[in-house]
Amino acid sequence: MHPALQGLLTIVIGVGACLSYFWASNQFLDRVLFPAKGPNAGRNINRANMIRPWLFLFPALFALSLYLAYPVFETIRLSLTDRVTQPDGTTVYHFVGLGNYIQMSGDPKFWEALWNNMLWLIVVPALSTAFGLMAAQLTDRITWGNVAKSLIFMPMAISFVGAAVIWKLIYDARPPDAAQIGVLNAVYVSLTGNDPQQWLTVPFWNSFLLMVVLVWIQTGFAMVILSAALRGIPEETIEAAIVDGANPFQIFFKIKVPQIMPTIMLVWTTITLVVLKIFDIVFAMTNGQWGTQVLANYMFNQLFVTRDWGVGSASAMVIMLLVTPILVWNVRQARKEMR
């Protein structure tokens, strides 16, 4: 069957199944379970109206449970078991309690990944939010601000792997007697006269070079959100400050920033969640070598390279435990902003 026809058929079947489910469930509710007739008609109508939203939400709740809740419980189970392949090819799981977590805590690579994640958490959200706030403030004051915003926001449209490839070219190093196509080495060689450097292999500093990629991407996101927040500040407040003799720096730091502080924290924590799950950039640029490994890369290596499902699942649980409190706080802040 032609792929286009197959896709069209899938859409027709999917939409038809959804419409059939909603029609059939409605009929079952109104005609079989709680019919709107007889002495209890009023009570039945009320009961049907209470159940109807949950009936319509059931497919979405079922899909969420299947694709979100089940993997969490399965990961917890795997982190507490040891996977053993028998001579006959069958696989059995032995309960080992916290054995995988103890084994992981004794692995220097895990602590390297955790330390690098902490560095990412300190640097990337702070720089992305600061640059985004600066861009939001400055682009609102120039005539070609919308063009500048479009250019700054453009990296958000690039995938992490695509951005990693672009920046890998910027950090590229050619032999000393060859022309340098990497911008960083071209500038470095022309200014110092030294040989080009393999920047991504330089321990400690290479992690910061990787962070630059994510800062470049997330600055556009921070700028858009903070620009909207800055425009929401009442003009009367700014005019009153000007009348009182406040200079532009005082207006920005003492009036605007305090008023949009909840939004700044929301942007900060949203980028923090992205940082905690960072994988693609490190994988595409260094594959976790030369001391750049992060938790997601450590989990990937344990699961799919060394095939140690227990330790890999334990590292996944560590990432989830780090992400969950920030996620909950972020959702609560978003609800407060909506009110």
Side-chain angles (χ1 to χ4, degrees):
M1 183 183 293
H2 193 276
L5 187 59
Q6 194 174 6
L8 185 63
L9 189 62
T10 305
I11 293 172
V12 170
I13 292 174
V15 173
C18 290
L19 292 176
S20 300
Y21 168 77
F22 289 126
W23 179 82
S25 60
N26 221 22
Q27 292 296 315
F28 177 75
L29 193 65
D30 290 335
R31 295 181 180 276
V32 180
L33 199 59
F34 297 113
K37 58 185 179 181
N40 298 323
R43 189 172 62 182
N44 284 348
I45 291 173
N46 290 334
R47 286 178 175 175
N49 288 336
M50 287 175 62
I51 293 175
R52 201 183 316 277
W54 293 104
L55 201 62
F56 289 174
L57 283 173
F58 173 74
L61 293 175
F62 177 75
L64 281 174
S65 302
L66 186 64
Y67 290 105
L68 292 180
Y70 170 71
V72 170
F73 288 110
E74 182 64 9
T75 305
I76 293 173
R77 186 185 72 83
L78 288 173
S79 72
L80 300 175
T81 58
D82 192 14
R83 186 186 185 195
V84 179
T85 303
Q86 302 288 349
D88 60 355
T90 58
T91 303
V92 294
Y93 295 89
H94 298 299
F95 180 76
V96 295
L98 298 177
N100 290 319
Y101 292 91
I102 295 171
Q103 181 184 339
M104 183 176 66
S105 65
D107 186 355
K109 279 290 181 183
F110 168 72
W111 293 107
E112 175 195 307
L114 194 61
W115 164 251
N116 283 333
N117 259 92
M118 290 302 112
L119 273 181
W120 280 73
L121 282 177
I122 295 169
V123 175
V124 175
L127 288 183
S128 301
T129 308
F131 289 151
L133 182 60
M134 191 187 307
Q137 172 65 16
L138 295 178
T139 52
D140 280 340
R141 300 174 66 87
I142 55 179
T143 53
W144 50 283
N146 289 332
V147 177
K149 282 181 181 176
S150 301
L151 293 174
I152 296 170
F153 187 75
M154 201 174 289
M156 279 291 291
I158 303 173
S159 69
F160 282 1
V161 174
V165 171
I166 292 171
W167 281 87
K168 207 170 181 179
L169 289 173
I170 292 175
Y171 299 146
D172 184 72
R174 294 297 170 93
D177 54 346
Q180 299 299 319
I181 63 168
V183 175
L184 189 58
N185 265 317
V187 173
Y188 175 74
V189 171
S190 65
L191 290 179
T192 64
N194 295 331
D195 289 344
Q197 295 286 324
Q198 293 285 351
W199 297 106
L200 294 178
T201 65
V202 181
F204 185 70
W205 298 110
N206 50 8
S207 289
F208 290 96
L209 294 176
L210 300 182
M211 293 174 201
V212 169
V213 183
L214 192 55
V215 171
W216 179 64
I217 296 172
Q218 292 297 320
T219 296
F221 162 75
M223 177 198 66
V224 169
I225 304 296
L226 295 173
S227 177
L230 285 171
R231 291 189 176 190
I233 297 174
E235 284 295 327
E236 294 80 5
T237 310
I238 309 297
E239 290 170 2
I242 295 172
V243 170
D244 288 342
N247 61 43
F249 285 100
Q250 290 173 322
I251 292 173
F252 180 71
F253 286 107
K254 294 187 176 180
I255 295 175
K256 290 185 176 180
V257 170
Q259 291 201 40
I260 64 168
M261 187 53 74
T263 308
I264 292 175
M265 294 306 299
L266 195 66
V267 170
W268 188 300
T269 51
T270 303
I271 297 174
T272 300
L273 291 175
V274 176
V275 171
L276 280 169
K277 297 180 291 183
I278 191 67
F279 168 78
D280 320 55
I281 294 172
V282 177
F283 184 76
M285 296 185 76
T286 64
N287 195 19
Q289 299 179 85
W290 308 296
T292 59
Q293 188 154 242
V294 292
L295 282 173
N297 288 89
Y298 178 80
M299 178 192 71
F300 179 85
N301 287 334
Q302 293 295 328
L303 282 174
F304 303 111
V305 179
T306 62
R307 310 292 293 178
D308 191 338
W309 288 58
V311 174
S313 301
S315 57
M317 292 309 302
V318 170
I319 296 174
M320 195 184 78
L321 288 175
L322 292 173
V323 168
T324 302
I326 303 171
L327 184 64
V328 171
W329 187 88
N330 212 7
V331 170
R332 287 184 175 178
Q333 286 298 115
R335 284 181 177 174
K336 284 182 183 176
E337 286 286 310
M338 291 174 68
R339 290 171 190 163

